[in-house]
């Protein structure tokens, strides 16, 4: 993407954007004028938090890594294959860090075998990686102690848990001038997320102590539920009960620009108080996708990638089509749920401006890499390159979609309505 397409910033040696009040005002005047009712104050607030350099990161959610567990709506038997496939693409894209959005494993496994396998597989990454908890990470045959199972890997990655637990929420600066907040919304054996007052208090304090940094927050459960999970029973079972309170804290900050979530597997981007809320798909539930975020001085380019195993993506699609959640969405037209999880193109490949009041912009077409055959999505009948973002495809049966394993998984599907689903 050309820098000319975006809001200003002086690219200082190609590394750091150093936005001064003067350069910001001069270079953005035309753009701001086009937005109409933007105040000078809000524009400067944007500038104050856009003081980091360009960086990129991958967000992978709902890996559900396991071994010896048969497929349901989640392709558990193929979970290791899917993770390795995604990490290959991520490594090719040379991101600055990888963020796992919860449900890394279907459970830690006996003697934490699944989690140890996860640790082994991600060793291929050539960048730092971080994670938050989903309910599957802390649900097992026996009670799962977060710190006993995950403590060494939390601290080993710089994610020092706050307030002594049992919830493990943390914050760190993955690159200079950027603040990353990992919330812990997971409860064992529960589809619903929960955030206690102590975590809210810590969040307020943490944001106050890190003013001026471009801030990204992540929670496994959606704080701003995407449709249909915003429509009350039975969908509300899968959201964070305190979502509104958390959004109030995040929205009061001038630095928070992006909030990521998974769990429900819906490809959806929403905006509230100039914060972009991005609901992301699961890796092992159709449409078997993950995202890469490329953060610029003026906004965020979102790219959605799909697992490159066409036959397995089709299998995942069949599983979701016959799942209980699809029939719950529409008993007469369960296939219509596929389009919901796939989202629109502006939910998958899009530029999200930081400017107050700005709308999402269609992502520019990427130049084809030399000496590389053009790739198409699985829906376009050809196997996509692992290094190419999922192209727009309006055909429901083939379009890239987010898969929300979480909401699906814990629904016990009646035999007469559909197959059993699995949690994300
Ligand atoms: Fe989940």
């Amino acid at each position: 993407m050309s820098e000319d397409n975006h809001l200003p910033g002086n690219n200082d040696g190609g590394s750091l954007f150093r936005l001064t009040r003067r350069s910001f005002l001069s270079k953005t005047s035309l753009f701001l004028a086009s937005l109409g009712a933007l105040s000078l104050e809000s524009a400067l607030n944007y500038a104050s938090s856009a003081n980091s350099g360009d960086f990129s990161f991958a967000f992978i959610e709902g890996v559900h890594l396991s071994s010896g567990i048969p497929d349901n709506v989640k392709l558990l038997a193929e979970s290791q294959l899917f993770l390795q496939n995604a990490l290959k693409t991520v490594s090719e894209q040379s991101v600055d860090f990888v963020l796992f959005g919860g449900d890394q494993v279907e459970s830690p496994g006996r003697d934490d075998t699944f989690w140890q396998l996860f640790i082994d597989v991600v060793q291929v990454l050539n960048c730092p990686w971080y994670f938050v908890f989903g309910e599957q990470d802390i649900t097992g045959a026996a009670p799962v102690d977060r710190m006993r199972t995950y403590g060494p890997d939390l601290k080993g990655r710089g994610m020092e848990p706050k307030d002594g637990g049992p919830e493990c929420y943390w914050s760190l600066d993955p690159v200079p001038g950027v603040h990353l907040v990992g919330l812990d919304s997971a409860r064992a054996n529960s589809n619903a997320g929960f955030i206690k007052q102590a975590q809210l208090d810590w969040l307020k304090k943490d944001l106050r102590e890190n003013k001026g940094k471009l801030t990204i927050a992540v929670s496994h459960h959606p704080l701003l539920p995407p449709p249909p999970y915003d429509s009350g029973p039975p969908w509300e079972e899968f959201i964070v009960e305190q979502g509104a309170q958390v959004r109030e804290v995040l929205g009061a900050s001038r630095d928070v620009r992006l909030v990521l979530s998974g769990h429900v597997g819906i490809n959806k981007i929403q905006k509230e108080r100039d914060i972009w809320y991005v609901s992301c798909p699961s890796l092992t539930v159709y449409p078997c996708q993950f995202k890469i975020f490329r953060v610029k001085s003026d906004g965020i380019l979102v790219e959605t990638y799909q697992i490159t195993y066409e036959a397995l993506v089709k299998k995942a699609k069949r599983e979701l089509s016959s799942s209980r959640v699809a029939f719950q969405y529409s008993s007469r037209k369960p296939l219509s749920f596929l389009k919901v999880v796939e989202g629109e193109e502006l939910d998958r490949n899009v530029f999200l401006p930081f400017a107050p009041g700005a709308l999402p912009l269609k992502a520019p077409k990427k130049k084809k890499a030399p000496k590389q055959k053009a790739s198409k999505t699985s829906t376009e009948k050809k196997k996509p390159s692992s290094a190419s973002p999922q192209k727009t495809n309006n055909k429901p049966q083939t379009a890239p979609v987010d898969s929300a394993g979480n909401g699906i998984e814990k629904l016990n599907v009646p035999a007469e309505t559909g197959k059993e689903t699995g949690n994300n």
Side-chain angles (χ1 to χ4, degrees), residues 7-11 17-29 44 47:
L7 276 178
N10 293 327
N11 194 338
F17 282 97
R18 302 186 187 284
L19 280 177
T20 63
R21 179 189 182 96
R22 182 176 180 181
S23 64
F24 173 79
L25 291 175
S26 64
K27 293 184 178 181
T28 59
S29 57
L44 289 175

Side-chain angles (χ1 to χ4, degrees), residues 61 64 102-103 134-136 191 220-221 262-264 405-407 423-424:
E61 192 276 334
H64 297 285
D103 290 351
E135 77 284 354
Q136 289 303 309
N191 275 325
H220 179 65
H221 299 76
H263 186 56
V264 297
N406 293 329
N423 288 339
N424 278 351

Side-chain angles (χ1 to χ4, degrees), residues 6 43 46 60 90 190 196 198 235 256 261 269 322 324 340 354 384 405-406:
H6 303 309
Y46 149 68
I60 303 175
V90 167
S190 171
K196 294 180 180 177
W235 303 100
V256 180
S261 66
I269 296 179
S322 58
R324 180 181 177 182
V340 173
F354 286 143
N406 293 329

Side-chain angles (χ1 to χ4, degrees), residues 40-308:
L40 177 61
E41 180 184 11
S42 60
L44 289 175
N45 289 343
Y46 149 68
S48 68
S49 60
N51 56 2
S52 64
D54 288 4
F55 66 97
S56 62
F57 68 96
F59 183 76
I60 303 175
E61 192 276 334
V63 176
H64 297 285
L65 189 62
S66 57
S67 177
I69 303 178
D71 290 341
N72 47 46
V73 71
K74 299 173 287 190
L75 298 195
L76 299 175
E78 294 84 2
S79 56
Q80 181 177 337
L81 193 63
F82 279 26
L83 177 58
Q84 290 173 319
N85 186 261
L87 296 184
K88 179 175 183 292
T89 298
V90 167
S91 295
E92 290 170 352
Q93 294 296 306
S94 299
V95 298
D96 292 283
F97 63 92
V98 175
L99 180 57
F100 291 98
D103 290 351
Q104 282 71 241
V105 290
E106 186 63 359
S107 76
R110 178 174 293 186
D111 297 326
D112 300 336
T113 303
F114 298 164
W115 177 245
Q116 293 306 317
L117 177 61
F118 184 89
I119 295 290
D120 286 342
V121 174
V122 298
Q123 295 307 309
V124 70
L125 285 173
N126 52 7
C127 64
W129 58 274
Y130 313 105
F131 64 95
V132 296
F133 288 101
E135 77 284 354
Q136 289 303 309
D137 299 304
I138 57 169
T139 298
V144 177
D145 184 311
R146 285 172 170 87
M147 287 309 297
R148 186 189 66 79
T149 298
Y150 301 100
D153 300 300
L154 285 163
K155 295 179 178 177
R157 321 216 77 76
M159 299 176 288
E160 299 292 339
K162 307 299 181 186
D163 296 339
E167 293 82 12
C168 293
Y169 39 93
W170 49 263
S171 69
L172 51 82
D173 294 354
V175 296
V178 176
H179 195 56
L180 181 61
V181 178
L183 299 174
D184 188 349
S185 59
R187 282 196 301 191
N189 300 300
S190 171
N191 275 325
F194 194 88
I195 291 183
K196 294 180 180 177
Q197 185 62 44
Q199 188 171 175
L200 269 177
D201 294 340
W202 167 81
L203 178 61
K204 292 177 187 174
K205 179 172 178 285
D206 184 75
L207 293 176
R208 192 166 57 243
E209 293 175 347
N210 289 278
K211 283 184 177 179
K213 301 176 182 176
L214 190 154
T215 300
I216 299 167
V218 57
S219 66
H220 179 65
H221 299 76
L223 300 173
L224 183 59
Y229 291 89
D230 61 346
S231 56
W235 303 100
E236 66 180 3
E237 178 187 348
F238 301 92
I239 66 175
V240 179
E241 296 176 20
Q242 299 76 21
Q245 293 99 304
V246 180
R247 298 203 314 272
E248 182 63 29
V249 173
L250 296 173
S253 166
R254 296 176 174 179
D255 303 307
V256 180
R257 298 297 177 182
L258 179 66
V259 178
L260 304 175
S261 66
H263 186 56
V264 297
I266 303 289
N267 238 338
K268 185 67 177 179
I269 296 179
Q270 302 177 92
K271 192 176 190 183
E272 182 182 87
R273 297 177 70 175
D274 291 322
I275 295 176
W276 295 106
Y277 287 84
V278 181
S279 174
C280 299
S282 166
L283 195 66
T284 50
V285 181
Y286 181 77
C288 310
Q289 295 175 331
F290 64 95
K291 294 182 187 294
I292 289 180
F293 295 84
R294 303 186 189 279
V295 183
K296 314 284 186 177
S297 64
D298 54 345
I300 305 167
L301 180 64
V302 182
E303 298 174 346
T304 299
Y305 293 77
Q306 188 174 49
I307 292 301
T308 60

